[in-house]
Amino acid sequence: MSAPVAAPVAARLSFVDRYLAVWILVAMAAGLGLGRLVPGLGDALAKVTVTGVSLPIALGLLVMMYPVLAKVRYDRLGTVTGDRRLLLPSLVLNWVLGPALMFALAWIFLPDLPEFRTGLIIVGLARCIAMVVIWNDLACGDREAAAVLVALNSVFQVFAFSLLGWFYLSVLPGWLGLEQTALDVSVGEVARSVLIFLGIPLAAGYLTRRLGERANGRIWYETQLLPRIGPFALYGLLFTIVVLFALQGDTITSQPFDVVRIALPLLVYFALMWAGSMALGKAVGLDYPKATTLAFTAAGNNFELAIAVSIATFGATSGQALAGVVGPLIEVPVLIGLVYVALAARRFFPDPGPSAASPSVVPEGPARV
């Protein structure tokens, strides 16, 4: 028996939820307009930073991630950590295929633009630990699996990012007779980024569920508290998008051809990583929720870290920093589109049954964040 298709679920959504893609496009346009029309807005937003990332962006991400991580049933994490069909493909996709694919695409599409090329390679090295929880939840992926995979990515990121940066920017280009670039990033810098963008909302979500259930029970927590805090994920997402686009509104509108050059390899990257991961998940026997989680955690990137590293190493006005910023500007509309593709693809997966599905008493749908 096949899983239900997206249409009946979408029909039950509220007006706001049903047109989530529209609100995201409006937020993108509003950010671009503000960045272009308000003099000095981008500079003002960028002055206060956390690990090289604008503080408003950091706050938006924390507000966005907290409700989703508060929905995770942490007592189910053990069932995920023992699933080798999920964990092993995730490690290979994130830390072998993903960086290698971005390296190849950067050199194929940008052989004459070394700054943009280096920025894209850095984006490929920074595996997603933040916004992916939103895309996964929108697509009705497995929340507990997402929590485990982003935690796994965070651990590997602390220890592997600098080593992979050295390999893909200096060692491998040297072997291939290509131009080499140095990247000096300490483990401490990466760990600080992971702590801020994953550690804080993860701790807040865990404590909220633990204390809420202890005080009033799981039924109250999931039927009374979660519906109250849930909408803040959408508010945080839209706020983050507005700020992201406002920060680079003038640059994007004044350098459209540069943005297009950077966007092309990113589009190919997101499409190949997501579709390939989804197909791999089905091939190894994962159900829809876990295959979706595998696909989104493999396709997304930690743009917060990529931007911070590019700014710290090459400067805020560098081509590397611009490539880092263009990353999420392309990722947001592409992955929200892939959310709907994923929901439509549910018909191709067998129904895992109530016991295997990601549990939630809150109605699920493409905008139930």
Side-chain angles (χ1 to χ4, degrees), residues 118-346:
T118 298
L120 276 186
I121 293 173
I122 293 173
V123 170
L125 300 177
R127 312 312 300 168
C128 196
I129 63 171
M131 196 173 282
V132 68
V133 297
I134 285 287
W135 310 132
N136 179 71
D137 214 53
L138 292 174
C140 301
D142 189 312
R143 291 178 187 137
E144 288 71 35
V148 169
L149 293 186
V150 296
L152 193 64
N153 273 351
S154 71
V155 172
F156 270 79
Q157 200 157 97
V158 169
F159 297 103
F161 182 86
S162 299
L163 179 62
L164 288 175
W166 168 72
F167 177 76
Y168 279 104
L169 293 175
S170 297
V171 177
L172 185 57
W175 290 350
L176 300 175
L178 303 172
E179 182 180 348
Q180 297 169 285
T181 305
L183 183 66
D184 184 18
V185 183
S186 70
V187 171
E189 290 176 295
V190 180
R192 187 166 60 248
S193 175
V194 169
L195 176 63
I196 291 173
F197 294 112
L198 177 61
I200 293 176
L202 182 60
Y206 173 79
L207 290 173
T208 299
R209 177 172 280 277
R210 187 72 180 269
L211 297 176
E213 288 189 354
R214 180 181 297 176
N216 296 291
R218 176 163 290 185
I219 293 177
W220 172 87
Y221 181 83
E222 295 191 343
T223 60
Q224 299 297 319
L225 183 60
L226 285 184
R228 294 178 184 174
I229 65 176
F232 285 94
L234 176 58
Y235 305 153
L237 173 64
L238 296 178
F239 175 79
T240 302
I241 292 170
V242 171
V243 174
L244 272 171
F245 279 74
L247 275 168
Q248 295 292 329
D250 185 64
T251 301
I252 293 169
T253 54
S254 62
Q255 299 177 242
F257 294 109
D258 287 342
V259 172
V260 170
R261 288 289 304 271
I262 298 170
L264 288 176
L266 283 169
L267 288 171
V268 176
Y269 172 84
F270 292 133
L272 290 178
M273 283 299 294
W274 187 89
S277 301
M278 198 74 167
L280 177 61
K282 182 173 175 58
V284 299
L286 295 179
D287 59 22
Y288 170 81
K290 287 186 178 179
T292 298
T293 300
L294 179 68
F296 280 101
T297 51
N301 292 89
N302 184 357
F303 66 83
E304 307 93 343
L305 176 61
I307 293 172
V309 168
S310 295
I311 290 175
T313 306
F314 304 103
T317 60
S318 64
Q320 291 89 340
L322 177 61
V325 170
V326 172
L329 304 188
I330 302 302
E331 179 177 329
V332 168
V334 170
L335 291 191
I336 190 61
L338 289 174
V339 166
Y340 290 94
V341 175
L343 290 168
R346 283 189 293 185

Side-chain angles (χ1 to χ4, degrees), residues 21-161:
V22 175
W23 312 138
I24 288 178
L25 291 174
V26 169
M28 292 164 58
L32 283 175
L34 287 171
R36 183 71 179 179
L37 299 176
V38 180
L41 177 62
D43 293 335
L45 290 172
K47 280 183 179 178
V48 183
T49 62
V50 177
T51 67
V53 178
S54 165
L55 181 58
I57 291 178
L59 291 175
L61 287 169
L62 295 181
V63 172
M64 175 190 72
M65 293 176 64
Y66 163 66
V68 178
L69 292 172
K71 291 179 180 180
V72 173
R73 287 185 172 178
Y74 292 92
D75 55 358
R76 288 190 68 249
L77 295 185
T79 63
V80 177
T81 55
D83 192 345
R84 293 186 178 182
R85 293 179 305 170
L86 176 67
L87 297 183
L88 292 180
S90 178
L91 288 175
V92 172
L93 288 166
N94 275 287
W95 298 103
V96 179
L97 295 181
L101 177 61
M102 188 68 89
F103 173 85
L105 292 174
W107 274 99
I108 291 171
F109 282 88
L110 303 170
D112 57 329
L113 297 171
E115 290 189 358
F116 295 162
R117 185 178 64 238
T118 298
L120 276 186
I121 293 173
I122 293 173
V123 170
L125 300 177
R127 312 312 300 168
C128 196
I129 63 171
M131 196 173 282
V132 68
V133 297
I134 285 287
W135 310 132
N136 179 71
D137 214 53
L138 292 174
C140 301
D142 189 312
R143 291 178 187 137
E144 288 71 35
V148 169
L149 293 186
V150 296
L152 193 64
N153 273 351
S154 71
V155 172
F156 270 79
Q157 200 157 97
V158 169
F159 297 103
F161 182 86

